[in-house]
Amino acid sequence: MAFEGTGEGSYLSAEPGKGWLSSWLLTTDHKRIGVLYLLSIMSFFSVGVVFGFLMRLELISRGPTIMEATTYNSFFTLHGVIMLFLFLIPVVPSVFGNFLLPIMIGARDVAFPRLNLLSWYFYMAGAALAITTLIIGPADTGWTFYAPYSLRTPSSASLAVFAVFVLGFSSILTGINFVTTVHRLRAPGMTWFRLPLFVWATYATAWIQVIATPILGVNLLLVMAERLFGIGVFDPAKGGDPILYQHLFWIYSHPAVYIMVLPAMGAISEIVPVFARKVIFGYKAIAYSSIGIAAVGSLVWGHHMFVSGFSYTAAVYFSLFTFFVAIPSAIKVYNWVGTMYKGSIVMDTPFYYALVFIFLFSIGGLSGLILGALSVNVHLHDTYFVVAHFHYIKFGGAAFGFFAALHYWFPKISGRMYNRKVANYSLLFLFIGFNTLFFPMFVLGYEGMPRRYFDYLPQYADLQHLSIVGSWILVAALFTMIGNLVAAAFRGKTAPSNPWGAMTLEWQVASPPPKENFGEIPEVKRGPYDFREGP
Amino acid sequence: MNGTTAHSHRDYTGSKIGMWLFLFTEFFLFFGPILLYSIFRFRYPQAFIDASLALDTGVGVFNTALLLTSSLTMALSITAMQRGKKGTTLVLMGATVLAGAVFLVNKYFEWGAKISHGVYPGGEALEGVKDGGAVFYGLYFFATGLHGIHVLAGMVIITVAALLVHEGRINSNDFVKLENTGLYWHLVDVIWIYLFPIFYLVR
């Protein structure tokens, strides 16, 4: 392994009596499982990036350029499935939740370590199935698998749907594990309001995973039963109703947006106070707003369906709740900024990443309010405006939050420090590339460019080209950012146990952490952001 | 909170919390088809009544009684374990698995009769039926089929638990695995308690 030998007795050191491979693939150590997730998820992320990059490239000239229209359909389907189900939904909970949650609450492992490993295998099985569809004829339905097209398409939609079902299993098991862990394994003195905010965020996420995922699961089973046996519930030709598919799909998939973004927000809530050297402003407000987002976020799914022809009364209600859900998100942004106010800010790499997260997430959130308004939505529905909006939330928010977390906790996980200058410049170009890629889409969408189209009218050409140049900058910057971390994993300088001067428990153990996390379970006597006595 | 329980894997309450959360997800899994049933019933009231009348209530009642009894034997097996009566525990678990098997055999004949009359998704009797009758049977086969898979899974889990009892790895001091097995079986039972009336009785 890349980081091996960086510390005596660390979780990365060889286990006596076990081969190298089995010490990883059969491990029940939450830290090793976190690393397994990190490596596998990053691999699939790279695949998703390639699809996105090629989709953009296709639009460099009008008409077929490097692929046919049907290939383009498969590409946007796979890009969506991979990025959402293989990257964004699992990434922060499964990587950092696994690695950090037990250490942060002063436990030696999660509540069900073997179940934890099983959930990684479910993840890999789901991923393998999704990749298999690539070979035998990829699905072309879009990641939403809308009926009735998903019932009729000759592509391998059944297998893609089954892949997502298996991935849901992985997600549910992780959720059950985390909820139980937080309830049962907190160290003495680790009261609910001494929990680091990342734990609160992961806890709220785990509840959404447990509550919402089964609905998606059964919905996908219904699609499969429909395709295999023709049970007819979503098929208008048999008296079924495709709009019900959309309802059941979004009952899960809207909360899933919060599965993606809440843990990232939790990571930002850790980073901001550490680099502001100040106790977080409004701890309880942030903690409760995580729960608030989880609760209100479960009641807004209809805003994906404003033009589907469902009840107007329901649309008004869903629009109202969509505005409500902005409140807890805004609370968090205010609290992060409030934490920085009059802090003695140390500018360092993770903090820069966190700032970019706050900026991009705010644009994403505010453009969401525009889409939440019923009358505007009729104009903007299924245009590039929507594409821009959700990329600002999911890429600018969730993925940049993940990058911030990665740069913050990398020294803890690997025991090595990366080159901060390269990381900072990568961020600068990520920021430039991201905005060049996605900001023009707001304008394109407003002018009427529909999403998922393989061709466009001549008046959209200039902004399309600008956006494509942005994708080149973005991919280059991603490459240097990840390359920098990979190089650091092999050759980086040894990191101290607490390079950022943080107060939470994970920074009080060695880097990388010892196998059992703690020699003796610590007794917690202060809050997670109490910097008065110094670390 | 007792932090030292982390590595002993004997956290009784923790195991129970985990199991209940899992059961929670199972309820939501069946919530989907039951929700669809409610909506379609509202939309096609007459077709749903007609289709329901064609189901054999006698078999349904018998199967319900059977599953309820098997829940009793399952619960009794846990009590027997708590009192340290290993032999009785194994006999009662065997009775539970047997009841599950009989349930599935009944289901097989019930489904077989419907299928032989062409009453199944894609079957000739439902061809071109747009008034909701096809949807009723679509949901009927989907929900009872999904439930049948759960019965089968429950039987496998009970069998594995019985092996653990036999080996002494589940014993009168450590029986949380048996209790969780029981909880799973009761879930299978409770879901049937909902499926039975909505398909067979509400007319």
Side-chain angles (χ1 to χ4, degrees):
Chain A
M1 187 53 213
F3 331 124
E4 208 138 322
T6 38
E8 277 301 305
S10 92
Y11 80 101
L12 292 164
S13 59
E15 289 184 38
K18 261 189 177 178
W20 178 82
L21 201 62
S22 65
S23 77
W24 279 93
L25 295 183
L26 298 177
T27 182
T28 52
D29 183 343
H30 66 100
K31 300 180 286 300
R32 285 193 167 211
I33 294 172
V35 173
L36 286 176
Y37 269 116
L38 178 63
L39 298 178
S40 37
I41 287 175
M42 288 314 280
S43 319
F44 297 120
F45 172 66
S46 320
V47 178
V49 169
V50 170
F51 281 125
F53 176 78
L54 292 176
M55 277 159 66
R56 279 283 90 204
L57 196 60
E58 160 57 35
L59 296 173
I60 201 163
S61 72
R62 298 177 55 218
T65 311
I66 54 167
M67 62 182 91
E68 292 300 321
T70 47
T71 319
Y72 189 80
N73 291 347
S74 301
F75 271 35
F76 70 65
T77 304
L78 282 163
H79 175 72
V81 168
I82 290 174
M83 285 305 199
L84 292 162
F85 295 113
L86 291 176
F87 173 61
L88 283 170
I89 289 176
V91 69
V92 179
S94 294
V95 176
F96 297 109
N98 260 320
F99 197 97
L100 295 164
L101 185 109
I103 313 184
M104 281 181 154
I105 64 173
R108 294 193 199 278
D109 208 323
V110 291
F112 309 113
R114 279 182 297 178
L115 199 66
N116 204 13
L117 181 67
L118 182 68
S119 108
W120 182 72
Y121 277 101
F122 271 122
Y123 172 80
M124 291 307 279
L129 289 171
I131 300 297
T132 312
T133 65
L134 257 182
I135 301 155
I136 64 171
D140 58 354
T141 56
W143 75 279
T144 48
F145 305 112
Y146 266 18
Y149 183 65
S150 62
L151 313 179
R152 306 247 160 79
T153 170
S155 66
S156 60
S158 298
L159 194 62
V161 163
F162 186 61
V164 174
F165 180 78
V166 173
L167 290 168
F169 251 102
S170 164
S171 193
I172 287 174
L173 294 182
T174 305
I176 289 175
N177 222 336
F178 287 175
V179 172
T180 314
T181 306
V182 173
H183 276 278
R184 294 299 297 164
L185 298 181
R186 283 172 286 128
M190 180 58 87
T191 57
W192 282 92
F193 291 112
R194 283 181 187 162
L195 288 177
L197 286 163
F198 180 73
V199 175
W200 269 103
T202 315
Y203 176 75
T205 309
W207 270 110
I208 311 178
Q209 285 174 299
V210 170
I211 293 172
T213 317
I215 308 273
L216 176 76
V218 77
N219 202 24
L220 297 174
L221 283 182
L222 283 162
V223 169
M224 280 163 66
E226 191 92 63
R227 281 180 68 87
L228 296 173
F229 309 112
I231 59 168
V233 286
F234 298 139
D235 190 345
K238 292 178 177 141
D241 187 348
I243 290 183
L244 289 177
Y245 172 84
Q246 295 189 22
H247 274 294
L248 287 184
F249 181 81
W250 289 114
I251 285 176
Y252 164 78
S253 296
H254 192 78
V257 176
Y258 303 107
I259 295 181
M260 300 171 212
V261 84
L262 264 180
M265 289 171 155
I268 302 303
S269 304
E270 294 299 318
I271 294 169
V272 168
V274 167
F275 290 90
R277 292 290 185 273
K278 190 159 155 275
V279 65
I280 188 125
F281 180 76
Y283 173 96
K284 283 193 178 175
I286 294 185
Y288 285 139
S289 67
S290 289
I291 305 292
I293 288 177
V296 184
S298 303
L299 302 172
V300 301
W301 75 85
H303 68 213
H304 296 266
M305 302 165 56
F306 285 158
V307 300
S308 71
F310 78 152
S311 143
Y312 181 72
T313 317
V316 171
Y317 154 86
F318 281 122
S319 174
L320 180 69
F321 271 78
T322 303
F323 289 121
F324 281 161
V325 83
I327 296 171
S329 311
I331 287 175
K332 285 181 192 282
V333 173
Y334 281 122
N335 280 321
W336 292 325
V337 177
T339 306
M340 292 175 213
Y341 180 67
K342 287 189 176 171
S344 49
I345 293 176
V346 185
M347 292 306 251
D348 212 331
T349 308
F351 190 68
Y352 290 125
Y353 276 82
L355 289 179
V356 169
F357 167 92
I358 295 172
F359 181 78
L360 297 178
F361 177 77
S362 302
I363 296 179
L366 292 170
S367 59
L369 289 179
I370 298 173
L371 288 168
L374 285 172
S375 52
V376 190
N377 187 280
V378 174
H379 176 62
L380 294 175
H381 189 88
D382 264 354
T383 65
Y384 267 34
F385 193 93
V386 178
V387 178
H389 157 68
F390 70 67
H391 278 91
Y392 268 87
I393 293 285
K394 292 176 185 174
F395 195 159
F400 271 80
F402 164 65
F403 298 154
L406 196 57
H407 284 86
Y408 180 58
W409 281 302
F410 184 86
K412 180 55 63 186
I413 294 174
S414 68
R416 292 176 190 270
M417 186 52 91
Y418 49 84
N419 183 328
R420 297 187 206 183
K421 210 170 196 175
V422 178
N424 294 347
Y425 276 107
S426 301
L427 176 68
L428 179 65
F429 286 100
L430 274 179
F431 182 75
I432 294 170
F434 179 89
N435 285 298
T436 319
L437 169 55
F438 291 112
F439 202 83
M441 290 192 181
F442 279 127
V443 185
L444 281 168
Y446 193 76
E447 290 175 352
M449 173 76 209
R451 68 188 283 207
R452 291 179 170 173
Y453 273 39
F454 147 89
D455 206 349
Y456 50 87
L457 295 171
Q459 66 260 37
Y460 299 130
D462 289 344
L463 284 173
Q464 287 282 16
H465 290 156
L466 182 63
S467 165
I468 291 164
V469 172
S471 78
W472 297 341
I473 303 173
L474 185 67
V475 169
L478 276 176
F479 196 74
T480 50
M481 183 191 82
I482 295 170
N484 183 37
L485 293 179
V486 172
F490 286 96
R491 290 200 309 269
K493 285 193 204 113
T494 307
S497 68
N498 192 358
W500 317 120
M503 302 302 293
T504 39
L505 279 177
E506 81 273 23
W507 298 105
Q508 317 311 321
V509 298
S511 295
K515 277 189 173 59
E516 299 274 288
N517 298 349
F518 305 98
E520 199 175 311
I521 295 293
E523 198 180 334
V524 181
K525 295 201 173 94
R526 60 184 178 190
Y529 310 108
D530 187 348
F531 292 96
R532 279 171 300 189
E533 293 164 41
Chain B
M1 279 308 134
N2 187 356
T4 54
T5 50
H7 258 220
S8 60
H9 303 310
R10 287 280 294 271
D11 181 6
Y12 178 81
T13 314
S15 301
K16 281 297 189 63
I17 291 176
M19 190 64 198
W20 276 104
L21 285 171
F22 178 70
L23 296 184
F24 206 46
T25 69
E26 290 276 19
F27 270 115
F28 275 107
L29 193 73
F30 281 91
F31 172 75
I34 290 173
L35 181 70
L36 291 175
Y37 171 90
S38 320
I39 292 164
F40 283 119
R41 191 188 167 81
F42 188 71
R43 195 172 296 175
Y44 308 117
Q46 194 52 48
F48 266 48
I49 290 169
D50 293 344
S52 167
L53 284 169
L55 291 178
D56 191 337
T57 315
V59 181
V61 170
F62 180 74
N63 265 348
T64 308
L66 199 63
L67 269 194
L68 282 173
T69 314
S70 75
S71 255
L72 175 68
T73 53
M74 189 69 227
L76 287 175
S77 80
I78 296 167
T79 313
M81 186 83 267
Q82 285 167 333
R83 296 187 184 167
K85 291 178 182 158
K86 192 167 152 185
T88 319
T89 306
L90 287 171
V91 170
L92 287 164
M93 290 174 87
T96 312
V97 174
L98 189 69
V102 175
F103 177 91
L104 288 179
V105 170
N106 281 339
K107 204 85 232 154
Y108 170 78
F109 284 117
E110 205 185 355
W111 275 32
K114 282 275 163 282
I115 290 170
S116 67
H117 288 102
V119 183
Y120 60 94
E124 56 270 31
L126 297 179
E127 214 165 300
V129 177
K130 284 190 183 181
D131 67 349
V135 172
F136 178 90
Y137 280 107
L139 281 171
Y140 166 78
F141 279 104
F142 182 82
T144 56
L146 193 61
H147 178 257
I149 293 172
H150 280 77
V151 172
L152 202 62
M155 286 161 62
V156 172
I157 292 168
I158 296 172
T159 311
V160 172
L163 286 174
L164 294 178
V165 170
H166 180 71
E167 286 174 11
R169 282 162 68 187
I170 294 176
N171 51 54
S172 54
N173 294 320
D174 181 16
F175 49 83
V176 69
K177 284 197 184 78
L178 187 62
E179 280 192 315
N180 282 343
T181 308
L183 280 175
Y184 187 81
W185 190 254
H186 296 323
L187 169 94
V188 170
D189 190 8
V190 167
I191 287 171
W192 180 253
I193 297 297
Y194 281 88
L195 295 184
F196 173 61
I198 67 170
F199 287 113
Y200 292 80
L201 297 184
V202 186
R203 284 170 179 171

